[in-house]
Amino acid sequence: MERTMHNGDLRLSDVGKEVTLLGWVSNKRNLGSLVFIDLRDASGVVQLIAQDPSILPDVRNEYVVEAKGVVEKKDVPNPALKTGEIEVVLHSLKVISKANLTPFIIADKTDALEETRLKYRYLDLRRPCLLHNLRVRAEIVRCWHEYFGANGFLEVETPILNLATPEGARDYLVPSRLHHGSFYALPQSPQLWKQLLMIGGVERYYQVAKCFRDEDLRADRQPEFTQLDEEVSFMDQEQILTLNEGFLQKVFRELLGVEISLPLRRMPYWEAMDVYGSDKPDTRYGLLIRDLHPLLSDVPFDGFHGVPYIKGIVVPGVAKETSRKVLDELTNEARKFRLKGVLSLKMLDGQLQGSFLKFLSEEKQAALVSELGLKDGDLLLFASSDDRRAIDFGLGALRTLYAKKLGLIKPGTYDLLWVVDFPMFDPIEGQPGVYSAEHHPFTRPRDEDLAFLESDPERVLAYAYDIVINGYECGGGTLRIFDHDTQWKIFNLLGLSDEDVAKKFGWFIDAFQYGVPPHGGMAYGLDRLTMILCGTDNIRDVIAFPKNLQAVDPTSKAPAEVSEDQLEVLGIQIKEEE
Ligand code: ASP
């Protein structure tokens, strides 16, 4: 089709040009002798003006039209539009495709229900803010290709139909037609393949990889998601972090014009947990967790006797308005993290107040006030536990809650850091001595901790790192085990018998007998990274066709029943619901 310009590109310098424009009618205002039409295409919106309305066919919102006219300077510019200094005086307007009344108005600001927007996603995508998000996403991928391509990484595709391996989340399964009763699993990540690529001598691999995990959904989780996945041989952890900092610097520079200063901070896992109450700390604000054990372990309060962890946070300025009800709500929040209860003291009129005071001598009170620097209006929330993760995560949740409540996070600020030195194992609650892998079973324990693998697994730290941006884990990786026997032992420690290891991972671990380069890598969650750069906390805003919280695609309504014939060839019979 003949098209001389894109609508959003028109500027003062185009005044006088004859143009042919294409796009959707996004708004029409009829002033009797004058008609104004806003014409939208992927590049933006321009105002058309018909000085002789009789030339206009019947046009309505969302009709696709071809407009011919001449660019003129507007007497009164419209600063809300990039094209606001000009308008196009129409000579003719032709309807190319008509549109029904849309179920919601196509505009950035909308009060349409998300379910309706997702059902008509193709209309939703016409909203400029969504198109913008897709562009940001594509730009990140462009940076990924440019950066890793320039660093000698080879793009390799890995299989989608895989063997199910018991290493992480629940798999999506695909029945095999040729082998009734057998199933492929969709990849949770290309982890094993990329390690085999290293053993295969590729040395530098990268891929934009679709991954699938059949987990319950949340605002920032989807059943299918995209990873920017990479693996490299012969690099140590620092080299991998430095390499990736270059990529992040490029993304922030080219997409946001923001210079991040390198090297990024590296924060050990236990520091992040103890101080910020999170393994993905947002360090843009204070409200730090304080260790109160030295001060309070000897007070005559039963709950503190012999307990290894007593910690708290000071929330400034909220003491007065914090009612019993609010404190109960805080306790409920902390309980989600296995913290049994939250105690409180208020600093009001120069004095500590609260029922816990009866356990504190005058000296203790004075020590608490001076040690924590308590000021009028401060609220001290504190707790005890014998579970370090529970108390850290519990207080961390309160920290985040108050940061939001008190508006401590400035929009448009970016805080990037690496969390390093993760524990190798995560104790499984209620099952002493049983562990899951904190990252995944292929993670290499630190050399200095290898001796404690069996005797004290909880103290073993790993060569593992997460990139955290504004309190979101945007990616993570590890150095990998490259020794056959260590890998076998780790599987055993994670509860797999020798028979299980041989059966489930034999095909993989066999490769470790043929010369394995030390290797490591990481993967970014493209969806999360895009969310951060777009400033949204809804993952569905950065995916063209997302699933809803019930894992249903609202546009096509997948998943759906299939025909008897389709089941028959797969050898599958559906069990009647009881
Ligand atoms: N495969 C890992 C993941 O999906 C990332 C990595 O270790 O490279 O989390």
Side-chain angles (χ1 to χ4, degrees), residues 188-189 191 194 213 227 229-231 440 476-478 480 521-523:
Q188 294 187 23
S189 87
Q191 184 64 34
K194 64 177 175 170
R213 294 183 191 172
Q227 283 190 347
D229 196 43
E230 66 188 82
E231 194 77 5
H440 50 60
T478 67
R480 323 299 185 191
M522 69 176 283

Side-chain angles (χ1 to χ4, degrees), residues 93 96 106 151 205 275 306-307 316 327 344 359 367 402 465 477 484 497 549 553:
L93 190 78
I96 297 173
I106 312 290
N151 276 286
Y205 141 94
V275 180
V307 174
L327 290 170
S344 65
F359 301 109
Y402 269 110
Y465 34 84
H484 178 274
S497 65
L549 286 175
D553 164 26

Side-chain angles (χ1 to χ4, degrees), residues 121-156:
R121 188 60 156 181
Y122 44 87
L123 298 179
D124 200 25
L125 288 171
R126 289 185 195 170
R127 295 164 58 229
C129 56
L130 274 192
L131 191 56
H132 166 80
N133 292 354
L134 293 187
R135 282 212 178 92
V136 170
R137 188 182 175 103
E139 284 291 294
I140 297 173
V141 175
R142 175 187 60 76
C143 288
W144 173 252
H145 282 291
E146 280 179 9
Y147 184 80
F148 282 90
N151 276 286
F153 280 67
L154 186 68
E155 189 173 8
V156 183

